[in-house]
Amino acid sequence: MNEVNELFTKENVEKIYVPDIVKDDLLSIIEEKLKKAGFYYRVAYRVKAPDSMLDKLILKDYRRPGTENQDKKMQDLIGIRIILYYADDVEIVKNFLDTIFSMPGVWNTTEANEYEFRAMKINGIFKLPGYLSKTIVNPELGDYVDDTFEIQVRTNSFEGWHEIEHDMRYKGSAFGTGNEALARKMNSILATLELCDDSVVGLIEDLGHQHYKDRKWNYMLRCHYRLKFTREPLHPYIEEIFDEDTELAKKFYKFKREPLLRQLWDNTGDKGPEITVNNIVKIVNQIGPEDERLKEAFVKIEHEKKQETESVAKRRRFEPFKQLGSFMVFKADTYIDLSNLAMPDAFRKATGYIYSWVKSRYEDVFTDLPESAETYVNAEPGYSVNLSYDAENVYFSEKTTHLDTKIPTRVWISEAVICREGDRLKFTVSNRYAEPADRYRDNENVLFSRPNFFGEIADNIGIVDVERMRESVRYVEDSKDYDDLTTLIAEEERTFPVIVFMASDGRWLDKFDMNYFAYLVGYYAHIKMIRSPYESRKFAKDYGLKIDECADSITVFYPGREPYTSYKTDIFHTTFEVIKVEKRKYWNENGCRAYRRKLVSEIRENNVL
């Protein structure tokens, strides 16, 4: 037995990198053709997993002198599977694929015989376009992995079975010696699948023939050609011609599909003809019957369409712009803490944090931005900065806009104002985005985005909503703390919610992780924990909590609304759907962590809506 090639290691396999451009361009090239021809299809793409690649390199022992694979390389690093819905499309697509790339495919197909049924395998090896093969990084195994890719063509019925066949027959020989009876049963299932594929095509053809006899020409054409047609019905001019000459209609029913599909496939225009029954009749007539009555009918149809288009253009020359929807993602109406700084110093320091944020984000767009905060107005396509600075009158405002770097048609708008209000320094902030209203996601996935300068001002100077906001829990230990809590709850000027915890059972509180919760929402929610038993009972009585359950509870006070309380049993039975839209992840959480996520989400949603 030969020793394993020393280059065939997982480390070397994992160094192979196939960039996304290979996937994007290959699928674009293939799907453009499939769509133009009107096939019903699905396409899947994969890059061979490192473990699978290593297994195959070792099994095939590529390039070893004296073996059957001494002149061969692995050819299926990249794989594309085309799943077709009609069995007779398989051979057509296989033939058409040979026309796309620089060389026809090298095909490996299952040979049918009268004694055996197997999953039909139609696999083709194609050479990668040169510009794509150059993008693949393969520092160690270039002599063993070819610059090719594999295309597999399957019917929808067989697509799932091929996965099982590959894993159980090819990889594991699960249907080997000793399992002949089960292998035979599996083959009988395959025979049924093959029969189903053929039966579906036969059934739809029979349906088309019935429509021919019933003179339902629109449905006859749809059944016979079996393309992904639009809803546009057959034009009355064509219906009339077929009604007068059923033998002509029969020619369209009997016409072979492949020449039509070939013409659609070979179209090199940017878009190709729309797949309508009218266009298909026109193309088939050009290929086959060349009936003059149909030619005249299409001249009339085109003339009428042109007149209609010109009429619409005269009525409305320009499409009016639509107003963008504006969607808040953070807002705060607070004051800056003056307990450690005089108002002028706090103003300058807070203004500096906002201006530092503006300059760091916009200095490459607006190269004339001043070194420190001052009045400044400028705009470029997609960006604007509008600053008003008046230190003498203690006033600063910021309004900036910028395009979203990832989502087209979305514009971000940040606004902040710092100004004197009597002996206090008012600080208001809003962050929102604007985009076409029909693209706005629903409230369950509401966006929340706090400007960085808000956190810096809160960290380094302090922001006040009746009392200073902190990313930490404040404990209620005695009657003075309790009086401060009730005053905060009752204060009409308060703009952020108050969240009050009570916990005799520390186990659920540890799972909830109150400190992490405070870190997440502490700059836009007041987080309180009543630890004194006496104050706990008083709180329960004052705010109508259930006496037998209040010892372990969370009570939420939103400004201007009735409070609500969740008890330990409520918290334990909470479920929450976690949706990470950008990362395309979704899962369900239960219990204490689910309640924390739910409460954070609720607080943020109430902030922005």
Side-chain angles (χ1 to χ4, degrees), residues 334-337 427 454 457-458 462-465 467-469 523:
T334 60
Y335 294 88
I336 291 176
D337 187 10
F427 178 37
F454 183 84
I457 292 172
I463 56 172
V464 174
D465 176 48
E467 64 179 41
R468 180 166 176 167
M469 307 300 297
Y523 283 154

Side-chain angles (χ1 to χ4, degrees), residues 391-409:
E392 183 178 348
N393 292 301
V394 194
Y395 180 86
F396 175 77
S397 68
E398 166 268 336
K399 182 174 182 179
T400 57
T401 65
H402 69 84
L403 294 174
D404 193 294
T405 58
K406 295 180 180 178
I407 301 175
T409 72

Side-chain angles (χ1 to χ4, degrees), residues 86 199-209 222-224 226:
Y86 293 115
S199 298
V200 168
V201 173
L203 172 68
I204 295 177
E205 277 294 333
D206 289 344
L207 183 60
H209 186 250
R222 290 174 184 272
C223 287
H224 176 61
R226 300 193 307 281

